[in-house]
Each structure stands twice: as structure tokens, then as C-alpha cells.
Amino acid sequence: MAIIELAALGADFTADPHPFYAKLRDAGPVHEVRGADGGRFWLVVGYEEARAALADPRLSKTMATVGGHEAVESIMGPHVLVLDPPDHTRLRKLVAPEFTTRRVEALRPRIQRIADELLDAAIPAGSGDLVDAFAFPLPIIVICELLGIPPGDRDSFRAWSNKILTPTGPDDAREGSLLLRAYLDDLIEDKRRSEPADDLLSTLLRTRAENGDRLSAEELRASAYLLLIAGHETTVNLISNATRSLLTHPAQLAALRADFGLLDATIEEALRYEGPVETSTLRFTLEPVTIGDTVVPEGDKVLVSLAAANRDQAVFPAPDTFDIRRSEQPGRSRSHVAFGHGIHFCLGAPLARLEARIALRTLLERCPDLALDTTAGPYEWLPGLLLRGVRALPVRW
């Protein structure tokens, strides 16, 4: 089978990859692909194969196990997303208690106040960019307050995050990583010297497991990096993608407005239909691994397309239909993989869901005439395969 050249697909693939993924699924669940940067990897597009790959211990998250080197992780240090057991197990055990459903639910009143304050400022203008006015600042304020990051540093962090996650130049990711590393090192040292505070970074500084284990300075920095990046970028796209999906499906929007009891189902369908993360991060085969009917050689890279898996028609009937009542219909309710699967399932999923629920309900209740601004021109889609979303979502309030 010929290697698929992603660079040849152009802007149409970036704007709407789903028809392309559907053709790939029809041809098979796994394909050899060359990315825009010339790198070769295996792309998993089938749902069952995606779940299996995401949970397969023969697919390592640590590039060092196959003799590789990744700039961002080598700069930031080890965090749970790039580690295998037992190191992954140890780090996740230290961090996970801060993200239980109970602790996340305690943030609800503050998240609601932030949502209301943002709309207080945005609505009087009559129109604007939903990303800049609402979808971005809500999660960034939440995660920065949670971690104890000063408000004045948020704009700098946004610039560094964009360089790392959606680079437009060959040195962007490294440059953004170096700047963010220096900032986090200084911030952690300040908190180490200060009186104990109740923010998450200060808590993680003091955290000890029952056996006395604690995060090293490097692990704390890397964990802060992951929580910052994953704690806001994905939720920005979840809020904006869900809003865009509703506004382009008037019947679904009307059904939700008529019954906010459908809100949770709407969030789950938005995650399936147009989730914020298009593909997983890389995995590396520790031995030859059979995925579907394809044998992936030892030492090769594997990328799981969460977006493709979530529209697999063998699992989700009418997969290209946005249907907030999908879970009510016999045979149509299966778990999406928008947050991953297995031991690397997203640690912040409860927080992302809570923020999205509050954001959508507040937006729809306070903006009864909310609509897309059709005079604003075409969307600018985020580049690359990692994130799925638009840089701006012009709306009329």
C-alpha cells in the first residue's frame, strides 16, 4: 500500500478532515502516512483499533525507549503523557487526587462567576469573536487561578502555548518551550520560598504519597506545563466547537434551548462529533504490533486519530450527523474516545466537562439570539494534526 502524503491534501483537509478519514476507514483501519514535515508514521482511523492501540502496553509513550528524542519533552521534563508504567503510575498517583470529580465540582461557583463576568463585558458590543471574548479566557482564568499563576502573565502564556501546540515555524515549539520552562522554574521557586498557599502548584510542592514519595523539581515543572497546556487549550476548542456545531444545526440548538436536561448529552455528542483533539500524541512500537490486519514494525511511530475513530460508521450510525439525542436511541450509544482511553485517559476530563457545561448553558441563556456572524469570512483553522478548532469564531450576541 502506498504511503499517504498529508502535505498533498492541502487546506481542504485542515478545514474538514472527516471525508478524508471516511475514505481511509473504508480502505482499512490503519495506514502508513507521511506528515507535512516529512516524518513517517502509522495512522489509526478505526474505532475498535483506536481503543486497542490507546490501551496497548506495547505502544510506548516514551520516545527514549526507541532511541528517539523530542524537543518539548526533553526541555520540560517527564510528565504523565510521555511516560510508561511504572513511572507513569507513580506520577499520576501523585497528581490525580487534585482532579477528582468532588474537587472539580467545588470549582463550579467560581467558574460560573467567570463566565458571567466575561459575558457582561462581551454582550454589549453586539458582536465579537467568541474565542477571544469567552472560549479562551474562561479556561485560562480557571487553570491559572487553580495553579496560582498571576493574572498579568496570562497573555505571555497564551503566546508560548500557541508556539508549542500550533507552531507556524520550525523553531516555534522549542522557543515557546524554553520561555515557558524558564517562567515555570521561577514561579515554582517563588512558591517554594513563600508562605504555603492553597493553589495547586503549592499543594503539589507539599504533596507526599504514603510511602514518602514526592514530585522532583523537574517533575513538578513538567506536570505544571502539562496541566497548563492541556488544562486550557483543549477546553477552548471544546467550547468553541460545541457552540459552532449547535449554531450550524438549528434544530439541535432549539431542542437544547427547550430542555437543558440535554446539556450533558450535548457535550458528549460535541466531543464525538467535533472534539478538541484531532489525534493522540505519538506512540512507539516496542515490538512488531498487529493493528487491525496491519503489522506495524518495531520502533515505528503510531498516531491514533480520535476524530476518525469517533466517526466510525461501524460503531456510530449516521456518524456525520450531529445528534444531541444520540444516547437515547438503541444501538447508537457508544463511548467516544475524545479524551483518550486506557491509562492515559485525560486527567482533566471532569474539569473540561464542567467548564463546557457552564459555558454553554450560560451563553445560551444569556444570548437568546446568538448566531454566527456570516459576514466575517472563512475560518482560520488551527494547523497540524493535534488540535481541532478555529482561531476565531465571529458571532452576533
Side-chain angles (χ1 to χ4, degrees):
M1 186 181 296
I3 295 179
I4 296 163
E5 302 284 349
L6 286 186
L9 301 177
D12 288 345
F13 173 72
T14 303
D16 186 7
H18 300 294
F20 175 74
Y21 287 143
K23 290 179 181 179
L24 283 186
R25 282 194 307 272
D26 288 344
V30 185
H31 299 270
E32 192 173 8
V33 172
R34 194 181 341 266
D37 62 355
R40 185 184 59 81
F41 56 90
W42 297 87
L43 185 68
V44 181
V45 294
Y47 176 87
E48 298 296 351
E49 293 77 12
R51 280 176 59 92
L54 291 169
D56 194 328
R58 298 172 299 172
L59 299 180
S60 171
K61 293 302 295 290
T62 306
M63 186 175 276
T65 59
V66 293
H69 177 80
E70 188 166 20
V72 173
E73 272 62 48
S74 64
I75 290 169
M76 286 299 176
H79 54 74
V80 292
L81 197 58
V82 295
L83 290 173
D84 300 325
D87 298 316
H88 170 273
T89 309
R90 173 184 158 268
L91 247 59
R92 187 159 179 134
K93 186 176 181 181
L94 287 167
V95 176
E98 302 303 319
F99 287 89
T100 62
T101 301
R102 178 180 61 83
R103 294 201 180 188
V104 166
E105 185 61 30
L107 299 172
R108 178 184 290 274
R110 177 57 184 146
I111 297 172
Q112 184 65 63
R113 285 197 300 274
I114 295 168
D116 283 325
E117 289 167 1
L118 290 170
L119 290 181
D120 286 343
I123 289 173
S127 63
D129 172 14
L130 185 81
V131 174
D132 194 58
F134 189 63
F136 170 77
L138 176 63
I140 194 64
I141 291 171
V142 171
I143 198 64
C144 283
E145 287 187 355
L146 189 62
L147 286 168
I149 291 175
D153 295 339
R154 292 171 192 158
D155 287 343
S156 296
F157 170 70
R158 184 181 194 181
W160 301 332
S161 177
N162 285 339
K163 282 179 175 289
I164 294 169
L165 292 180
T166 54
T168 55
D171 299 322
D172 277 5
R174 177 175 175 79
E175 180 183 338
S177 300
L178 288 170
L179 291 167
L180 182 54
R181 181 181 73 173
Y183 172 80
L184 289 174
D185 283 343
D186 288 345
L187 179 66
I188 291 168
E189 187 56 32
D190 286 346
K191 291 186 178 295
R192 195 186 306 277
R193 293 174 178 174
S194 303
E195 290 294 318
D198 61 357
D199 61 76
L200 181 54
L201 269 185
S202 299
T203 300
L204 291 176
L205 267 169
R206 302 189 300 267
T207 294
R208 288 182 183 271
E210 292 179 1
N211 63 358
D213 186 22
R214 66 187 304 175
L215 294 168
S216 69
E218 185 183 38
E219 290 167 345
L220 182 58
R221 178 225 296 147
S223 296
Y225 154 75
L226 179 62
L227 293 172
L228 272 168
I229 295 286
H232 93 278
E233 285 284 1
T234 53
T235 310
V236 173
N237 294 328
L238 171 55
I239 294 170
S240 60
N241 288 353
T243 303
R244 185 167 48 81
S245 295
L246 284 166
L247 293 179
T248 53
H249 295 82
Q252 301 299 304
L253 176 60
L256 177 58
R257 285 191 181 280
D259 180 10
F260 277 109
L262 292 169
L263 186 58
D264 285 354
T266 299
I267 299 298
E268 298 310 307
E269 177 66 351
L271 284 161
R272 183 203 70 82
Y273 179 77
E274 196 76 283
V277 181
E278 186 169 339
T279 64
S280 69
T281 51
L282 282 170
R283 284 164 166 77
F284 313 95
T285 51
L286 300 176
E287 61 184 68
V289 177
T290 300
I291 305 176
D293 57 359
T294 300
V295 178
V296 179
E298 178 181 350
D300 272 13
K301 299 175 183 178
V302 175
L303 208 57
V304 176
S305 175
L306 308 178
N310 283 333
R311 294 211 191 184
D312 189 335
Q313 64 181 1
V315 177
F316 303 102
D320 296 323
T321 299
F322 180 66
D323 180 6
I324 65 174
R325 295 185 181 275
R326 179 176 294 273
S327 61
E328 300 174 0
Q329 302 173 33
R332 298 191 71 179
S333 179
R334 289 290 300 275
S335 297
H336 60 72
V337 290
F339 288 123
H341 178 63
I343 64 170
H344 291 285
F345 183 85
C346 178
L347 194 65
L351 179 58
R353 284 181 165 118
L354 177 62
E355 289 181 85
R357 284 197 295 268
I358 291 172
L360 271 188
R361 179 159 190 164
T362 306
L363 185 63
L364 296 180
E365 285 184 334
R366 295 196 54 185
C367 305
D369 297 319
L370 183 70
L372 295 174
D373 185 349
T374 55
T375 67
Y379 295 124
E380 181 183 356
W381 294 89
L382 297 176
L385 287 176
L386 180 59
L387 296 178
R388 177 73 183 150
V390 292
R391 291 203 185 277
L393 185 62
V395 296
R396 290 180 282 106
W397 301 105

